[in-house]
Amino acid sequence: MKLLVINGPNINMLGIREKDIYGSTSYESLLEIIQNTCAENDIEAECFQSNHEGAIVDKIQEAYGAKDAIVINPAAYTHTSVAILDALKAVGIPAVEVHISNVYGREEFRHHSYAKMACVKSFVGLGLDGYRQAILYLKQHIA
């Protein structure tokens, strides 16, 4: 399985930003968790992070015909980006949405997810383990 893992704005600041919400683990540690999970499960993974909506849309489009599944944490774009929703719908690749924090327990504007409309499942509020669970779910979902 060829997997694309996409992280949106400020995910590269893990370990620095709002530690009470996102914890003290760094973005580099998250990448290590993803790569280890994929290596243990014979999955080829590519990780991508951008603070720019258009770059995320471009990356989703590049996945068409090249990737079997997508794990996406659109971060703040979750609640605003119809462009990311449309890109996910356009490529038709099974996608799982991940959120490190419990977005449904936070501010009301975080309760709505456009990306969720194009995803087969969401893992919310599980910390970095949500990525591992999303990867394992997609492996079973695609098999």
Side-chain angles (χ1 to χ4, degrees), residues 13 16 20 23 28 35 38 40 44 52 62 64 72 74 95 97 104 111 116 127:
M13 298 298 286
I16 298 169
D20 56 321
E28 290 72 24
Q35 291 298 340
C38 289
E40 292 165 3
E44 180 183 317
H52 306 280
E62 288 173 17
Y64 182 75
I72 185 165
E97 175 188 42
Y104 301 109
H111 297 182
K116 182 178 182 178

Side-chain angles (χ1 to χ4, degrees), residues 51-124:
N51 296 322
H52 306 280
E53 184 178 30
I56 293 170
V57 169
D58 288 345
K59 198 67 182 178
I60 292 168
Q61 291 180 1
E62 288 173 17
Y64 182 75
K67 303 294 181 188
D68 302 307
I70 296 173
V71 171
I72 185 165
N73 180 348
Y77 289 132
T78 300
H79 322 293
T80 61
S81 182
V82 176
I84 290 174
L85 166 64
D86 285 348
L88 289 168
K89 285 182 173 179
V91 298
I93 298 170
V96 169
E97 175 188 42
V98 172
H99 294 287
I100 296 167
S101 70
N102 178 7
V103 291
Y104 301 109
R106 297 179 63 191
E107 304 93 331
E108 190 170 329
F109 71 87
R110 296 184 194 274
H111 297 182
H112 179 74
S113 170
Y114 283 101
K116 182 178 182 178
M117 294 179 208
C119 291
V120 294
K121 189 161 180 71
S122 297
F123 290 92
V124 175

